[in-house]
Amino acid sequence: MTGLLVLTAVPAEAEAVRAGLTDPTVTVRPVGVGPAVAGAATARLLTLAEAAGRPYRAVVSAGIGGGFAGRVAIGATVLGTRSVAADLGAESPEGFIPVDELGMPPELLGGGPTVDADPELLAALCAALPEAVVGAVLTVSTVTGTAASTQALADRHPDAVAEAMEGYGVAVAAAHAGLPFAELRTVSNPIGPRDRGAWRMREAFTALTAAARALS
């Protein structure tokens, strides 16, 4: 995919993506952990490229993440239909209130807590990765670590298949630049009570390299 910018959180993810690429025009950059640093770094990279007269044509947030048990298997590849700022909002005695339901003017929400994947880019990735699980990918600033919070997220987002920490930030930067966006994840662990022994990082990185071929 000529002119594609792929953003990961950490260098190990970037290396896994690069190992699967065959197109030298695809740029891969690790931009840091969390939506704020990922969004800021993405915006800077897009601005510098445009100023240099070499603008990118599309943006992909890629890496590993957690998957909702029963919706996606460990080692599977996920393509996001939308990237959701899942913990952006307010708590209340009745439960979590998403930011777009707090009565704020739409112009203050930067497009709201959800950014949809570009339909054409998503369709191309789905065609190249026919076994990928397709659904919403949640962006969180605090990784989910209890059964109760996992269930609450699953109930609030019945179409969600995975969670990570950068997609929404990258998506907002792409949207402000007017560029197509998509999110690609491979699953290293089930979302829920934190159990490092259940994580399958090697499998997830191997799957990420395999999935990266679709970006070439």
Side-chain angles (χ1 to χ4, degrees):
M1 293 185 182
T2 303
L4 184 67
L5 176 63
V6 182
L7 293 316
T8 70
V10 299
E13 292 170 319
E15 291 170 7
V17 171
R18 291 189 189 108
L21 293 175
T22 58
D23 184 347
T25 71
V26 176
T27 300
V28 185
R29 294 285 185 270
V31 291
V33 177
V37 68
T42 301
R44 183 174 185 273
L45 289 168
L46 294 176
T47 299
L48 289 173
E50 185 172 358
R54 298 187 297 273
Y56 293 105
R57 296 179 59 187
V59 180
V60 173
S61 177
I64 64 175
F68 283 95
R71 299 181 183 179
V72 63
I74 304 302
T77 297
V78 165
L79 292 171
T81 54
R82 59 195 186 107
S83 297
V84 183
D87 51 12
L88 183 61
E91 290 187 331
S92 78
E94 291 74 34
F96 180 80
I97 305 173
V99 68
D100 56 342
E101 296 180 14
L102 294 177
M104 296 181 185
E107 61 268 20
L108 297 182
L109 300 180
T114 295
V115 178
D116 291 333
D118 177 76
E120 292 185 9
L121 181 55
L122 178 59
L125 291 172
C126 286
L129 297 167
E131 295 184 1
V133 178
V134 180
V137 179
L138 308 184
T139 298
V140 294
S141 295
T142 301
V143 173
T144 305
T146 69
S149 56
T150 300
Q151 189 61 55
L153 279 180
D155 290 344
R156 275 207 314 273
H157 304 283
D159 63 331
V161 291
E163 77 168 19
M165 302 182 75
E166 295 79 32
Y168 177 76
V170 175
V172 169
H176 278 266
L179 292 176
F181 165 82
E183 184 166 3
L184 183 156
R185 297 282 169 184
T186 56
V187 177
S188 60
N189 59 279
I191 299 169
R194 191 171 178 81
D195 177 12
R196 289 297 297 268
W199 292 12
R200 298 292 180 264
M201 303 294 286
R202 181 178 299 177
E203 290 89 333
F205 280 121
T206 298
L208 186 57
T209 295
R213 298 187 185 104
L215 303 174
S216 294

